[in-house]
Structures are given as C-alpha cells and as structure tokens.
Amino acid sequence: MKEIRPAKEITGVEPSVGYEWDAGWVPEASSFRRVRIAVRKLDKKEWQIHATGYRGAVRLGTDRETPILILPCETCAKAFALNLVHGRGNSYCAEHGADFDEIDLFGGTLVILITAMGISYRDWIYLGEDARNKVCWTARSILDGKITWHDAIDAWERVTQSCDDFRTAVDAWDAEIAQLKNRR
C-alpha cells in the first residue's frame, strides 16, 4: 500500500487553485476506450476527483469531465483516485489513513464505467431502470474483482459495433459480462 504525501511536502510549493494531478487511466492508457482519472484543486480545502472518457483520441460523451467526488484533503483525494485506478487498497493518505467509504468507491467505479461507455448524465437519466441496474451490477462486479476493467470495456466496445439501439447494446453487454463472470 502506497502512502500519499501532499505536493507541498514533495516540491516545497503549495499547489494553486486549478492544479491538476493525473492518477492514471482505466483500463491502462494503451486501451482504445479508456478513462483518465485526475484530481483538481478547486479551492483551499476542496479537491475534486473527476473522469474524462476517450475512444481513441476523441473525448466520449457530451460532458467535458464527470465529477466523481470532492474531498477536503489533497492526499485523501489522490489516494482515493489511485484506489479507483489500481484497485481498492492501493494507496492511503499519510494524515487520515485508508478508510474510504464503500459507497464512495462504488459510486466512483460507476462514474468511471458510465464515462467509458460514453453515457452522459442526461442519457443516464433516460436509460431506464433495468438498463441502469445492469450497469450498476457490472460496476459492483468490477469493484469486487469478479471482472476486470479491460474485460468490461472491451465487451462494451464489441457490442456497440453491432447494436444500433443503446438499450439493446446494454442487454447484449450484460449477457457478455455474465459469461465473463461464469468463466472466472
């Protein structure tokens, strides 16, 4: 487990508002469809973790970036972001430890998955309860280690190439995810 320290302790300079720290990509940066996770300083005591989706070099969705969580501590925000990118238990805050809320970790995983799928907030609202539940269940499976990010996003990429209707794509994707979980 990595201990995360504040930027000022490392560089000797307090980060200014707007400072951004890159936590990494989900899945790895070489994937065609992927999400960049970053932490930005909003003000003296607010650090926002956010996600930006890409398909190749093109941004996904209509949102420039999707907020995941705002925390009052720089190192907590960075550690939380690293736990989303590399898995639960990867990093902890030097001052506050590693006691991240399970609901926040699930919510962050869900935001990353939705971003990778190219679903905007507006589309998510109109998706329908059944389809939203399927996406939530997949996010839970990723967080619990039952499937990998790469497998989930690769399956989404495959089904969207053959399905014109979004809800049909979610159904086909859910069937592929079930097969992946059964193989493990």
Side-chain angles (χ1 to χ4, degrees):
M1 196 180 257
K2 297 176 193 172
E3 180 181 74
I4 306 302
R5 298 190 177 280
K8 184 175 181 178
E9 185 177 310
I10 296 166
T11 65
V13 178
E14 179 69 33
S16 59
V17 171
Y19 159 85
E20 193 161 292
W21 181 81
D22 191 2
W25 296 86
V26 176
E28 61 278 352
S30 62
S31 297
F32 185 64
R33 187 181 285 259
R34 65 204 184 288
V35 178
R36 176 182 177 257
I37 308 302
V39 175
R40 179 180 301 125
K41 184 174 184 177
L42 298 178
D43 63 30
K44 188 174 181 177
K45 290 289 184 183
E46 284 191 338
W47 295 82
Q48 179 190 58
I49 302 124
H50 63 270
T52 307
Y54 293 88
R55 186 168 187 259
V58 178
R59 282 194 180 174
L60 289 169
T62 57
D63 305 324
R64 181 177 174 272
E65 58 196 24
T66 307
I68 295 173
L69 188 65
I70 295 175
L71 293 172
C73 171
E74 172 192 358
T75 53
C76 282
K78 289 178 177 179
F80 185 85
L82 288 170
N83 280 292
L84 290 174
V85 171
H86 299 292
R88 185 184 351 214
N90 174 271
S91 304
Y92 67 96
C93 171
E95 185 178 344
H96 300 109
D99 192 21
F100 296 114
D101 185 84
E102 181 71 18
I103 293 170
D104 289 339
L105 287 168
F106 170 73
T109 303
L110 181 60
V111 168
I112 294 168
L113 184 58
I114 290 167
T115 302
M117 294 171 75
I119 301 173
S120 69
Y121 178 74
R122 192 181 122 211
D123 292 338
W124 176 253
I125 298 300
Y126 294 109
L127 190 55
E129 186 176 355
D130 184 53
R132 284 194 308 265
N133 285 339
K134 290 174 181 177
V135 175
C136 288
W137 187 247
T138 299
R140 181 83 251 170
S141 296
I142 291 168
L143 185 60
D144 292 344
K146 294 180 181 174
I147 61 168
T148 67
W149 276 110
H150 183 74
D151 287 343
I153 294 170
D154 190 45
W156 179 250
E157 188 67 28
R158 277 193 310 276
V159 300
T160 56
Q161 291 173 2
S162 61
C163 296
D164 293 333
D165 178 63
F166 200 77
R167 288 185 185 171
T168 302
V170 170
D171 290 341
W173 177 68
D174 184 58
E176 282 207 28
I177 296 298
Q179 288 178 350
L180 288 169
K181 287 194 287 190
N182 289 335
R183 285 187 219 147
R184 291 193 135 210

